[in-house]
Structures are given as structure tokens and as C-alpha cells.
Amino acid sequence: MKDDYQIIRERLEEFCSLKQLRRALSRSDDAGVTEEIDRTMKKLLEAERNGELYEDELTELVNFLFVVLHYDCFYGTMQRMDCDLENSHAAREAMCADYAQWKETGAAGDGQWLICTRKNADIPALKARLFAVIDALCLPVGDFCEFEPDGMKPPRWVRKAFEDFEVITICDVQVTDDGGLLSDPHPNGKAFTVTDSDGAVYHLGGVRETNDSHADMDQYMFTDESPRCFAAMGWIEGYTGPQRREIEFSMLSDGTAVFSYSTQGVDDSCAENDPRWGGYEGWAKARIAFRRGYQTDFIARHRAAFAE
């Protein structure tokens, strides 16, 4: 059975020859790379104009096209060149600075961001080649700044939106202090304060042990050991506002835990800006907005070009 990735990739290949893209890249035919991307956009826009694609389908396919250009074509080129990018915020900022210098002067700077395993490699030449590939692939160099700055920490939540609320699951929690909960053979009705390795504090009152009713979830979330499962009324410093709501959670003896709750009827707007995360959510939203804005402009430029 095909997964979502396979389905959308096959749909994209109805409009884009990935083989042609790779062949042009292997020949360092930068003009040929860009021409294939332009042909792809022309086919997509023609399909939309003919009613074969809705606008949201076009947007989805263009987004996936950029995923392929970035992670398949660009990283595939680097692999053939025996090099890679350093995975840090500072390194990617240095890459952007070198790119700006290359665009202005034709010579890459001396920033530390490129890893190369070739002996006696000409690093400036490799940088210049990679920047030319980025331009040929129509990629914004800012999209490579995918590592958060020092001091930021991503919350561990997974958020599932419904009509006017979300169900939040906090995964892979590492409990540093369970307040005596796991060692208590009869926790029902008691209150516990739990702290995790990120500094989040879980205020849990009226605890109820619910092992039987969470058996299905436990089998999915925990494969090696059966956890103890609970429900409580409370709130979580770092993830919620101070309004109490029902919180369900499962804990293993090694301190691993999963928490789940709903935002329905409560105000958790402060959570995204909690100082524990150092502004991570704002940074992540800005990255998403940057990518969407670039792709929107990219589509608009091709609409205008093909309308002439």
C-alpha cells in the first residue's frame, strides 16, 4: 500500500522529470536545471487552468517540488561532491553570509559551514559550485537556516486541531521528579507535582489510576514495558495557562512519560511564549511564513511569465 509520500511524489512526476533534473545536475548544466523547473511550473499552471488541478492542489505540489529540490536534488549533489553542511544555527548563518558575498562579488567567503571529505579540496570552489546549484534549483538560501538559535528549545508537544480547540500530546517527556507518584501504591485522590527535564511543571490533583482504560494507547506509545496510567485535574507550567482541565498521562519506571489534554474551554495562549522555550514557536512560525511567502511569490512570478 502506497503511503502519502509515494502518492504525492508520483503525482508530481506527472509534471516534473526528476530524472532530467538529476541528469542536468550531474552535468553541471545549471540552465538545464532551471529550464526543467520552469517546464514543470508551466505544466502545473496549464493543468490548473484546464481544471485538472485545484489551486490548493497546485500549492501542495509546488511545496513538495521544493522539498524534492532541497532534500533530493541539492543534498544529492553534495553527496556526489563528498561534502555536507554543518548542522548548527551558527553554521547556517555563516552559509547565508557567504552566499550574500558570492552574489555580490562572485567569491565565497570564509565562513565555517561546509564539511568536505576530499583530500586537498578547493573549499572556495566547492562553495561557489553549491551556491550556483542553489540558484539553479530556485531555492532560497534562507531555507537552509533550519536550526534554532542557541537558547531556544522546542516544546515536546504534538498539536491536533479541531474546530475551535486542540488536543495536545506531550511526547518523550523525561521526568526528573515525579513527586512520589510512581512509588505510591495508592495514589487515587491525591495531588502530585511532577517536573521534567525541560523545566515544565505538572500540577496534578485528584489523581486517578486508569491502567485498564488506556491499554490500547499504551500498546502504541510504549512497546517494551507496561506503564502506569493516570488521569488528573490540573495544569502544566510551560504548556498551559493556569486553568485546570483533565490531563491524562502514562509513566514508565525509567521516568519516560506522555501527557495529553485538550484546550477546549481554557486559555492557553501564554504557552507558545513561555520562557522555557526561548521564543522557539515564534521562530518556527517565521520560518513557515518565509517558506510559504517564497513559494507564493514563485507561483505568482510564473503565472505572470506564462501570461505574457
Side-chain angles (χ1 to χ4, degrees):
M1 184 176 178
K2 296 178 182 178
D3 59 23
D4 291 344
Y5 177 87
Q6 290 174 305
I7 292 170
I8 193 170
R9 186 183 181 97
E10 289 179 4
R11 183 61 165 147
L12 177 64
E13 288 178 328
E14 295 176 20
F15 304 94
C16 177
S17 173
L18 299 181
K19 183 181 293 185
Q20 183 65 30
L21 271 176
R22 296 191 190 99
R23 186 179 295 120
L25 284 168
S26 67
R27 298 196 303 260
S28 298
D29 178 10
D30 296 341
V33 171
T34 305
E35 286 171 5
E36 179 57 36
I37 295 171
D38 288 342
R39 278 194 293 269
T40 297
M41 289 303 300
K42 186 174 183 179
K43 291 177 183 177
L44 286 167
L45 291 168
E46 285 177 346
E48 182 193 39
R49 186 168 55 248
N50 295 335
E52 299 167 16
L53 280 178
Y54 294 112
E55 184 177 0
D56 59 343
E57 293 175 303
L58 172 71
T59 301
E60 181 182 28
L61 285 169
V62 169
N63 178 66
F64 189 75
L65 171 64
F66 274 96
V67 170
V68 171
L69 296 176
H70 188 132
Y71 293 101
D72 184 325
C73 296
F74 181 76
Y75 279 98
T77 298
M78 282 201 304
Q79 187 175 34
R80 289 192 296 274
M81 295 168 63
D82 300 318
C83 59
D84 201 354
L85 304 180
E86 288 191 22
N87 293 336
S88 72
H89 176 78
R92 301 306 173 89
E93 289 289 305
M95 177 183 179
C96 290
D98 277 5
Y99 175 85
Q101 180 173 323
W102 175 78
K103 292 292 284 186
E104 182 178 352
T105 68
D110 56 2
Q112 300 298 309
W113 53 270
L114 184 63
I115 302 169
C116 185
T117 58
R118 292 183 183 178
K119 291 184 178 180
N120 304 316
D122 185 343
I123 299 299
L126 285 174
K127 287 182 176 181
R129 178 67 202 130
L130 289 173
F131 290 151
V133 171
I134 286 173
D135 280 1
L137 291 170
C138 306
L139 293 170
V141 71
D143 205 31
F144 289 89
C145 295
E146 56 194 306
F147 295 92
E148 67 272 13
D150 293 342
M152 287 186 181
K153 183 185 298 182
R156 297 178 187 272
W157 57 19
V158 177
R159 302 162 68 172
K160 184 175 182 179
F162 290 88
E163 290 185 358
D164 57 352
F165 68 96
E166 293 179 323
V167 171
I168 312 290
T169 301
I170 309 173
C171 303
D172 300 322
V173 174
Q174 299 299 315
V175 173
T176 55
D177 183 354
D178 70 1
L181 175 56
L182 282 181
S183 62
D184 192 329
H186 304 293
N188 287 358
K190 298 178 183 178
F192 297 87
T193 300
V194 175
T195 306
D196 71 18
S197 58
D198 296 322
V201 181
Y202 303 74
H203 300 274
L204 308 168
V207 167
R208 308 183 308 279
E209 196 153 8
T210 58
N211 292 323
D212 292 340
S213 60
H214 288 83
D216 292 339
M217 183 182 74
D218 297 341
Q219 187 176 15
Y220 175 75
M221 298 295 293
F222 303 95
T223 58
D224 298 328
E225 181 183 348
S226 296
R228 289 179 69 184
C229 302
F230 307 91
M233 292 297 294
W235 63 288
I236 307 169
E237 295 179 39
Y239 288 103
T240 77
Q243 294 169 275
R244 284 158 49 90
R245 84 289 309 280
E246 183 165 85
I247 299 172
E248 297 181 345
F249 57 103
S250 300
M251 301 178 69
L252 288 172
S253 59
D254 66 359
T256 306
V258 173
F259 291 80
S260 181
Y261 60 91
S262 168
T263 65
Q264 190 169 30
V266 296
D267 179 8
D268 289 342
S269 57
C270 62
E272 289 187 356
N273 298 317
D274 189 277
R276 290 166 181 80
W277 319 127
Y280 177 87
E281 286 294 309
W283 173 82
K285 286 183 177 180
R287 268 189 50 77
I288 293 170
F290 170 79
R291 175 174 289 184
R292 287 177 176 169
Y294 182 85
Q295 292 179 13
T296 297
D297 292 344
F298 182 80
I299 293 171
R301 290 198 304 272
H302 281 84
R303 284 193 198 280
F306 297 142
E308 296 175 355

